[in-house]
């Protein structure tokens, strides 16, 4: 299901943008949590960022293997933000 057709809250959008900027957060993690595939994340980023910021993000993401689970090394572990609770 593509959630672009479903209204996302401002906090959801903020979290998706944050996750998309993080090097170690794969697009698959965003899809699992919010139901947005990579192209939907790109569309969301384009819509909610200034054009120059979007271009900078796209340039940064181009070819970054850590953004795709199937391409990245097993040595790359999931990033856990310092403000989240460790189990």
């Amino acid at each position: 299901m593509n959630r672009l057709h479903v209204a996302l809250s401002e906090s959801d959008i903020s979290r998706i943008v944050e996750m998309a900027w993080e090097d170690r957060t794969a697009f698959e993690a965003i899809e699992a949590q919010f139901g947005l595939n990579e192209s939907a994340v790109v569309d969301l980023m384009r819509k909610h960022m200034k054009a120059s910021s979007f271009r900078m993000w796209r340039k940064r993401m181009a070819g970054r293997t850590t953004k795709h689970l199937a391409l990245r090394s097993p040595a790359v572990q999931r990033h856990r933000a310092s403000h989240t609770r460790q189990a």
Side-chain angles (χ1 to χ4, degrees), residues 52-81:
S52 61
S53 296
F54 174 76
R55 284 191 302 272
M56 183 182 354
W57 175 75
R58 285 299 284 164
K59 184 177 180 181
R60 181 178 164 82
M61 292 301 107
R64 188 168 294 270
T65 58
T66 58
K67 293 304 282 185
H68 299 278
L69 290 177
L71 299 177
R72 71 178 174 189
S73 163
V76 175
Q77 297 297 313
R78 182 174 178 260
H79 172 71
R80 180 164 266 183

Side-chain angles (χ1 to χ4, degrees), residues 4 6 17-18 34 45 48 62 72 76-77 84:
L4 277 184
V6 177
V17 170
E18 180 182 3
F34 295 98
M45 296 292 277
H48 291 280
R72 71 178 174 189
V76 175
Q77 297 297 313
T84 60

Side-chain angles (χ1 to χ4, degrees), residues 9-32:
S9 70
E10 286 298 317
S11 64
D12 286 344
I13 292 168
S14 178
R15 182 63 184 134
I16 293 166
V17 170
E18 180 182 3
M19 290 173 78
W21 271 101
E22 293 170 347
D23 289 342
R24 293 186 175 191
T25 302
F27 286 114
E28 291 87 351
I30 298 171
E31 185 169 12

Side-chain angles (χ1 to χ4, degrees), residues 30-46:
I30 298 171
E31 185 169 12
Q33 187 169 350
F34 295 98
L36 299 177
N37 62 20
E38 181 180 355
S39 62
V41 172
V42 171
D43 289 343
L44 182 138
M45 296 292 277
R46 181 179 286 118

